[in-house]
Amino acid sequence: LPAPLELDRLRVVLVSSRNPLNIGAAARAMSNFGFSRLRVVNPYEKAFRTARSAVGAAKLLASAGEYTSVADAVADCTLVVGTTAVRHREVQHPLRRLEYGARLIRKHMASGPVALLFGSERYGLSKQDLSHCHWLIRIPTVEQNISMNLGQAVAICLYELIRDGRAAARSEKQLPATGGEIERITVLLADVLSTSSYMLPQRAAETEQRIRRMVRRLKLSAQDVEAWLGILRHVQWQLHYGKKKID
Amino acid sequence: LPAPLELDRLRVVLVSSRNPLNIGAAARAMSNFGFSRLRVVNPYEKAFRTARSAVGAAKLLASAGEYTSVADAVADCTLVVGTTAVRHREVQHPLRRLEYGARLIRKHMASGPVALLFGSERYGLSKQDLSHCHWLIRIPTVEQNISMNLGQAVAICLYELIRDGRAAARSEKQLPATGGEIERITVLLADVLSTSSYMLPQRAAETEQRIRRMVRRLKLSAQDVEAWLGILRHVQWQLHYGKKKID
């Protein structure tokens, strides 16, 4: 995973964005994932700093660099990657799926600054913009609707850059209840069912075995054992003594 | 990867969403990634169908189910997963990072319907909403800003469900130029530099070796070999005959 210092090596470059809400959304996603360097090239609305949806990203927007050309916006970067919705046959650059492209970007961020370019909401990056790029990435959308919302596209690309494929191993699992704990619950439940006449004496052994199997299928967690025992004890007590009070 | 039939098994459930733009953005992301079943529970704005940002998602919004309780919205699902921004210590459910949780959801989608719940923009899912969930996922944001835009959160979760970790192997690479092609370029370049007096006769061998190394560091692609040879031939011709015309 990229270290914070390396996240600082990514420049998110929005080219000719038309909607301040999208610029705000891009800034918000950057803030969510720990990126800080936003650059805008010829934004359609000069008032992009007022972007309202950018909860928690005001500082990031205030420090965003404003440029009049892609060349200037990427001048300090040693890798320039464009984003596109179109498929390979239509582009004249190497085109990589995001899953793979992000891995290459991450590798590059270990050594130098990388620019990630996003085009306008309506037209994407122009051929002129694209000619500044080393290669392109596309988000793997379905053929029927390849056009993504700009703010969502930025969020997904940044997420892919910080995602951790090995997170699985580190996630906590709930501890399962032990055989002994499950049996205490089984015995108590069988007792409750016997008291409440659910369990007929002549079929007690058979019913108890069925209950035992059912309780084992519940995948009880260790943390819930005492609560279930408490519930069963309470019901058992009510069955024995509760009714008598009402009578 | 989930088959289209399996994508149809996911229900995206938006609970108490306040902003029609976000409902539209969620629908658009669903459409981008091939999902179709949207459900809304008590949307703040009843007029969610007018959501303007939902380019290409009108059909999906028109067929969205509207419910008055979470219980009803998830009644047909065999797995119910909630989304949350908060960290483990604050929740009473098993909490998984998206990377891992999505894998479990994908597995479950092979056999039965899954509900993925998103709460309101301001408050997220309530404790009451969460009590309907088997477990929760969180998007791995930085501690400093854990609160994501709803439309972006939906887009990222759906992307993680369809992403293909093995996409790398299938992505096309540009074919590198062969040693022979690179040498043709080297020889022609050396000739141009000799003609233009860049290469001094007494240091010709040394300069040519330096040029040869530099050309090899360019990582020339096979597809560009002819274009570079054409450029060099043109310059060579100009050096030999072009100037004479001007004289």
Side-chain angles (χ1 to χ4, degrees):
Chain A
L1 280 188
L5 176 69
E6 294 178 8
L7 295 186
D8 211 46
R9 293 221 177 96
L10 188 80
R11 286 88 172 98
V12 174
V13 183
L14 305 181
V15 184
S16 309
S17 301
R18 302 174 71 88
N19 185 342
L21 285 177
N22 284 333
I23 301 178
R28 182 167 175 184
M30 290 178 67
S31 166
N32 286 138
F33 293 126
F35 298 90
S36 57
R37 306 251 190 166
L38 177 62
R39 295 178 175 179
V40 294
V41 178
N42 297 326
Y44 192 75
E45 300 272 337
K46 286 272 175 180
F48 71 88
R49 282 179 192 82
T50 65
R52 286 162 296 166
S53 80
V55 176
K59 202 175 126 194
L60 206 152
L61 280 166
S63 67
E66 205 171 341
Y67 297 81
T68 54
S69 75
V70 170
D72 288 347
V74 305
D76 61 338
C77 296
T78 53
L79 174 64
V80 181
V81 179
T83 54
T84 182
V86 299
R87 301 310 208 243
H88 192 71
R89 61 189 181 280
E90 299 158 75
V91 296
Q92 295 170 315
H93 276 79
L95 177 64
R96 286 157 180 153
R97 272 177 67 123
L98 174 60
E99 297 95 324
Y100 179 55
R103 208 189 304 169
L104 301 183
I105 291 173
R106 235 144 69 151
K107 229 181 255 176
H108 197 99
M109 281 161 62
S111 63
V114 179
L116 185 57
L117 272 60
F118 295 87
S120 79
E121 290 85 343
R122 195 168 299 179
Y123 307 108
L125 292 167
S126 70
K127 285 196 172 175
Q128 175 70 18
D129 300 334
L130 290 174
S131 69
H132 290 276
C133 299
H134 291 98
W135 42 269
L136 311 181
I137 51 176
R138 70 172 184 88
I139 296 171
T141 51
V142 296
E143 288 283 351
Q144 293 78 4
N145 185 4
I146 62 173
S147 166
M148 286 205 69
N149 165 274
L150 176 58
Q152 291 176 315
V154 172
I156 287 173
C157 290
L158 299 183
Y159 165 73
E160 179 66 49
L161 283 172
I162 63 91
R163 87 181 277 286
D164 179 3
R166 289 162 300 181
R170 288 205 300 277
S171 92
E172 313 103 87
K173 289 192 179 141
Q174 47 178 9
L175 281 175
T178 64
E181 286 166 336
I182 292 173
E183 184 58 14
R184 279 167 67 205
I185 288 172
T186 307
V187 168
L188 201 46
L189 178 60
D191 192 52
V192 165
L193 296 181
S194 171
T195 309
S196 64
S197 307
Y198 174 90
M199 206 183 263
L200 301 175
Q202 63 272 33
R203 308 190 62 179
E206 187 189 330
T207 307
E208 196 180 318
Q209 284 162 21
R210 188 160 56 85
I211 298 297
R212 179 168 285 111
R213 290 194 304 272
M214 282 168 60
V215 171
R216 269 143 192 87
R217 283 200 292 270
L218 290 174
K219 295 192 183 170
L220 280 162
S221 77
Q223 78 184 64
D224 291 341
V225 168
E226 287 308 320
W228 281 116
L229 287 172
I231 287 170
L232 288 169
R233 273 189 217 108
H234 184 86
V235 172
Q236 191 183 35
W237 192 91
Q238 285 291 324
L239 287 169
H240 279 296
Y241 309 105
K243 274 188 184 165
K244 285 179 187 166
K245 279 181 190 165
I246 298 167
D247 288 344
Chain B
L1 280 186
L5 176 69
E6 293 177 9
L7 295 186
D8 211 46
R9 293 222 177 95
L10 188 80
R11 287 89 171 97
V12 174
V13 183
L14 305 181
V15 184
S16 310
S17 301
R18 303 174 71 88
N19 185 342
L21 285 177
N22 283 334
I23 300 178
R28 182 167 175 183
M30 290 177 68
S31 166
N32 286 138
F33 294 125
F35 297 90
S36 57
R37 307 252 189 162
L38 176 62
R39 295 179 174 178
V40 294
V41 179
N42 297 326
Y44 192 73
E45 301 272 337
K46 284 272 175 180
F48 71 88
R49 281 177 193 85
T50 64
R52 286 162 297 167
S53 79
V55 177
K59 202 177 124 193
L60 205 151
L61 279 166
S63 68
E66 205 172 339
Y67 297 82
T68 54
S69 74
V70 169
D72 288 346
V74 306
D76 63 338
C77 297
T78 52
L79 174 64
V80 181
V81 178
T83 52
T84 181
V86 300
R87 301 310 208 240
H88 193 72
R89 61 187 182 280
E90 298 159 74
V91 295
Q92 294 170 315
H93 277 78
L95 177 64
R96 287 157 179 153
R97 271 176 69 121
L98 174 61
E99 298 95 323
Y100 179 55
R103 206 189 304 170
L104 301 183
I105 291 173
R106 236 144 67 152
K107 229 181 256 176
H108 198 99
M109 280 161 64
S111 63
V114 180
L116 186 56
L117 271 62
F118 295 87
S120 78
E121 290 85 342
R122 195 168 300 180
Y123 306 107
L125 292 166
S126 70
K127 284 196 173 175
Q128 175 69 17
D129 301 333
L130 290 174
S131 70
H132 290 274
C133 298
H134 291 97
W135 42 269
L136 312 180
I137 51 176
R138 70 172 185 87
I139 297 171
T141 50
V142 296
E143 289 282 349
Q144 293 78 5
N145 185 3
I146 62 173
S147 166
M148 285 205 69
N149 165 273
L150 175 58
Q152 291 176 315
V154 172
I156 287 173
C157 290
L158 299 182
Y159 165 73
E160 179 66 48
L161 283 172
I162 63 91
R163 86 182 278 285
D164 180 3
R166 290 162 301 179
R170 288 204 299 276
S171 91
E172 314 101 89
K173 287 187 180 148
Q174 48 180 11
L175 282 174
T178 64
E181 287 166 334
I182 293 172
E183 185 58 14
R184 280 167 67 204
I185 288 172
T186 307
V187 168
L188 202 46
L189 179 59
D191 192 52
V192 164
L193 297 180
S194 172
T195 309
S196 64
S197 306
Y198 172 91
M199 206 183 263
L200 302 174
Q202 63 272 29
R203 307 190 63 181
E206 186 190 329
T207 308
E208 197 181 317
Q209 286 163 19
R210 187 160 56 86
I211 299 296
R212 178 167 285 110
R213 290 195 304 272
M214 281 168 60
V215 172
R216 270 144 192 85
R217 283 200 292 269
L218 290 175
K219 295 193 183 169
L220 280 162
S221 78
Q223 78 185 62
D224 291 342
V225 167
E226 287 308 321
W228 281 116
L229 287 172
I231 287 169
L232 289 169
R233 274 188 215 108
H234 185 88
V235 172
Q236 190 183 34
W237 191 91
Q238 284 291 325
L239 289 170
H240 278 297
Y241 309 106
K243 273 185 183 165
K244 286 177 185 166
K245 280 182 189 164
I246 298 165
D247 289 346

